[in-house]
Amino acid sequence: MLRQRTKQQEVPVKISALAASLDEIPPLVDDHDDKKGMHTIRLDTDYDGGKPAFLAVVVLFGVFVPASFFGIANLFLSSPIDSERYGLEPPPKYESELLANTRLTSAERLYEGHVQGPRALTVHDGFLYVGTSDGKIVRIKDGKNETLQRRRAPCDVADREQQCGRIMSLKMNPDGNLLVLDAYIGLYLLNFSTAAYDVQALVSMPELVEGRRLQHLHDMALTRRGFVYFIDVSGRFGRHKRVYSLMSRPTGR
């Protein structure tokens, strides 16, 4: 309620055209008190224009709030993440070999712009073998690169990684053939003794190993006797859901 004291008994009450044109705003009623010499401007409580606002409040608290509550509850109850509490130990002191240095500032960039998202690297007979984010295996020597393998699907965008694969590790075996570990495809051999570099599958995804499916192959090691050891990061989630793996109980092997 607004009160306006005036010296005169009659003062015209001005209502903006915008406020008067809105149906949701009740009309203003001018109550004049001759004895006190004041005008009282009040809202008409008998006005029915407040029904839309009342219905909006009913819809908000009767529909959207319960729906949001059940949606959030369902998110937590049906979450695939099986997390556990974990605390980090205090970091070590930055001394000795942990002291800050600038060695990497003088590093030389190699083959910049020639390969996209290189990750898996191995060197053999002067050649550098690289696995790239667009699904290729590239061989480089003296600044010249040769594509040994590429995917048929267009793989120049990150959201096609599941279809195109992601090469995580490359190793040259004693026979001179290239072992390839792919996070989505598995372990296979690139045979250099054939003109077309034929592919031989060794472990396919999602193959069962000791009753559990392989989900996210990450790295491998090759022994002198020819044994291959590789890491399966998670027993539940693939690489495209690796954030879930970080937040869940460890299931890798």
Side-chain angles (χ1 to χ4, degrees):
M1 180 178 292
L2 304 175
R3 291 185 179 272
Q4 179 182 4
R5 294 185 177 272
T6 63
K7 295 181 180 180
Q8 301 178 357
Q9 292 184 354
E10 294 183 2
V11 176
V13 180
K14 296 181 180 180
I15 303 175
S16 67
L18 175 61
S21 65
L22 296 176
D23 295 337
E24 292 80 1
I25 299 179
L28 299 178
V29 179
D30 179 22
D31 291 341
H32 177 65
D33 190 341
D34 293 333
K35 295 180 179 180
K36 296 182 179 180
M38 66 177 63
H39 289 267
T40 300
I41 302 173
R42 64 182 176 84
L43 296 178
D44 186 0
T45 56
D46 296 331
Y47 179 63
D48 293 334
K51 289 184 178 179
F54 173 74
L55 292 177
V57 173
V58 171
V59 171
L60 175 63
F61 287 95
V63 178
F64 290 104
V65 172
S68 301
F69 172 77
F70 286 112
I72 296 174
N74 182 66
L75 176 64
F76 283 97
L77 293 176
S78 62
S79 174
I81 301 172
D82 179 22
S83 59
E84 64 178 349
R85 186 174 181 178
Y86 180 77
L88 295 175
E89 297 181 358
K93 294 182 179 181
Y94 293 104
E95 55 187 12
S96 184
E97 65 274 4
L98 296 180
L99 286 174
N101 60 75
T102 59
R103 296 171 185 170
L104 291 180
T105 58
S106 59
E108 180 185 358
R109 295 177 179 269
L110 299 177
Y111 310 115
E112 188 174 9
H114 291 273
V115 289
Q116 178 177 326
R119 181 183 178 98
L121 306 173
T122 191
V123 178
H124 182 71
D125 287 344
F127 287 95
L128 174 65
Y129 295 85
V130 182
T132 66
S133 61
D134 54 352
K136 298 178 183 178
I137 298 177
V138 181
R139 180 166 60 184
I140 303 173
K141 186 176 184 180
D142 298 331
K144 298 179 181 179
N145 57 296
E146 175 189 4
T147 300
L148 304 179
Q149 185 187 53
R150 70 173 71 239
R151 308 297 181 196
R152 294 181 180 178
C155 300
D156 54 348
V157 288
D159 58 358
R160 294 192 59 86
E161 188 177 88
Q162 284 183 262
Q163 293 77 25
C164 299
R166 185 54 163 128
I167 298 171
M168 307 300 290
S169 182
L170 298 173
K171 301 292 181 185
M172 194 68 67
N173 73 358
D175 296 330
N177 297 318
L178 191 64
L179 287 168
V180 182
L181 186 74
D182 192 290
Y184 300 95
I185 298 173
L187 176 65
Y188 60 92
L189 182 74
L190 206 61
N191 194 342
F192 286 162
S193 63
T194 61
Y197 304 136
D198 294 338
V199 175
Q200 178 184 351
L202 301 177
V203 178
S204 300
M205 298 283 285
E207 186 170 316
L208 289 174
V209 176
E210 296 180 351
R212 293 171 52 189
R213 292 183 180 276
L214 299 174
Q215 295 286 350
H216 179 184
L217 303 188
H218 182 72
D219 201 358
M220 68 173 168
L222 179 65
T223 69
R224 295 179 180 179
R225 299 177 59 185
F227 290 100
V228 178
Y229 295 86
F230 58 85
I231 298 173
D232 185 19
V233 173
S234 172
R236 300 181 59 197
F237 307 108
R239 174 179 157 83
H240 60 294
K241 295 182 179 180
R242 53 190 178 275
V243 176
Y244 289 177
S245 300
L246 293 174
M247 295 188 293
S248 299
R249 297 176 185 271
T251 58
R253 49 183 171 161

